[in-house]
Amino acid sequence: MATGDLAVRVTFSIQTVVGILGNFSLLYHYLLLRFTGYRPRSTDLIIKNLIVANILVLFSVGIYNTLSSFGWYHIFNDFGCKFFPYVRRVGRGVSTGTTCLLSVFQAIAISPRNSRWAALKGKALKCIVPSIVLCWVLQVLVNIIYPMFLTSTLNNKNITNRESFGRCSTIFQDKTRDPLYVALLSFPDMVFLVLMLWASSSIVFILYRHKQRVQHILRTNVSSTSSPESTATKTILLLVSTFVYFNTLSSIFHIVLGLLDNLSWYILSTNLVFSLCFPTISPFLLMSRDPRVSMVCFAWIRNIKSPHPMRNM
């Protein structure tokens, strides 16, 4: 048990530190792009929102559980059991909605001119900010149920109808309403997931059709993989695939947690570790696939030597 506890402490610490450094590095990358005069992409605002959601998840899960595993959980007490799970759920929900928005927007952006989605290209740009605001408002309101029913197991209240989740527990007031609460919390994520899968399938189909067309072009300077738009599209597909993979694993553990009465410490810890995987990996995935990362470094060096800033891209 001591070995497993130590492994969880180290895993939480590594994921939290690496994830926070990665997300702040990606945010610094976008700030550097702005100050060096590069024209921002239409998806940059969506990715910045994803960075904020990732940081919320990393702080709420990583820092709280790292401190708790080292015996400092008494500092947060009942407040920690209400605040940190609420922030984690909001951050995770916003991350799901943002990834969905990113895939849907890219599917519309790369749609052919003769497609029925071509008319939405101009409107999609205007809908980015309202969609992000709506996503935040939806997650803040839906997940308000968490601080209402979560409490610390360390308090002195004699409550019999509670289910323990380690250092926190859920208070059941009416078991007949539990399926309603689960459906309410799961419905937005299910809608986002369905839209995400639909958009990703559309992107794969559009890329396949485009590849079939360019095979008939004899000019060697035309390539479906060398264009920045194609690279960005494949990056979003990889990001969505990574999200779906870890979200599926996390969902399986959530189902197990809901079915079991006596929850295992290892199941709880493994579920939290999986919930940190996407916020930790996604910034490095985006930076490794973005050709502007290396270009902006050279541009920044040249701008230091030259008084005239670059205005390209």
Side-chain angles (χ1 to χ4, degrees), residues 51-259:
I51 295 173
V52 175
N54 286 343
I55 292 175
L56 283 181
V57 175
L58 288 166
F59 270 107
S60 59
V61 178
I63 291 182
Y64 174 67
N65 286 278
T66 300
L67 294 178
S68 298
S69 63
F70 280 97
W72 297 339
Y73 54 86
H74 60 277
I75 298 177
F76 304 104
N77 202 1
D78 196 56
F79 170 78
C81 287
K82 294 180 180 295
F83 178 75
F84 289 100
Y86 175 68
V87 174
R88 175 177 67 87
R89 283 293 307 184
V90 171
R92 184 176 181 272
V94 172
S95 177
T96 305
T98 304
T99 309
C100 173
L101 177 62
L102 191 63
S103 58
V104 171
F105 178 83
Q106 193 66 20
I108 296 175
I110 67 171
S111 59
R113 295 181 179 180
N114 57 352
S115 172
R116 57 182 177 178
W117 305 112
L120 298 176
K121 289 187 178 182
K123 298 179 181 179
L125 288 172
K126 300 179 181 179
C127 294
I128 291 179
V129 175
S131 299
I132 292 176
V133 173
L134 180 62
C135 182
W136 278 99
V137 172
L138 177 65
Q139 296 300 328
V140 168
L141 294 179
V142 168
N143 292 289
I144 197 67
I145 191 174
Y146 272 82
M148 293 172 57
F149 293 98
L150 282 175
T151 184
S152 174
T153 54
L154 301 177
N155 57 27
N156 296 322
K157 296 180 181 178
N158 187 15
I159 303 175
T160 56
N161 55 339
R162 69 164 64 187
E163 181 179 0
S164 177
F165 292 92
R167 299 178 183 91
C168 302
S169 58
T170 304
I171 302 174
F172 295 108
Q173 296 184 354
D174 188 357
K175 292 233 175 195
T176 60
R177 298 181 182 179
D178 291 345
L180 179 62
Y181 294 145
V182 173
L184 177 64
L185 294 172
S186 303
F187 181 73
D189 291 342
M190 291 301 298
V191 172
F192 288 144
L193 186 60
V194 170
L195 289 175
M196 197 185 307
L197 294 176
W198 166 81
S200 301
S201 302
S202 301
I203 290 174
V204 172
F205 178 73
I206 293 172
L207 290 178
Y208 175 77
R209 290 282 301 271
H210 181 64
K211 183 179 179 180
Q212 293 295 107
R213 286 196 300 268
V214 299
Q215 284 180 349
H216 300 284
I217 301 177
L218 299 178
R219 291 179 300 177
T220 58
N221 61 340
V222 177
S223 175
S224 61
T225 59
S226 59
S227 64
E229 186 180 61
S230 178
T231 303
T233 302
K234 292 178 181 179
T235 301
I236 292 174
L237 277 178
L238 185 59
L239 184 71
V240 171
S241 301
T242 306
F243 176 85
V244 171
Y245 174 75
F246 287 114
N247 185 72
T248 301
L249 292 177
S250 181
S251 299
I252 292 174
F253 277 94
H254 272 94
I255 294 174
V256 173
L257 292 176
L259 295 177

Side-chain angles (χ1 to χ4, degrees), residues 34-39 303 308-313:
R34 181 180 181 88
F35 287 117
T36 50
Y38 279 77
R39 186 179 64 188
N303 284 340
H308 302 288
M310 292 183 62
R311 298 285 179 181
N312 52 11
M313 289 190 67

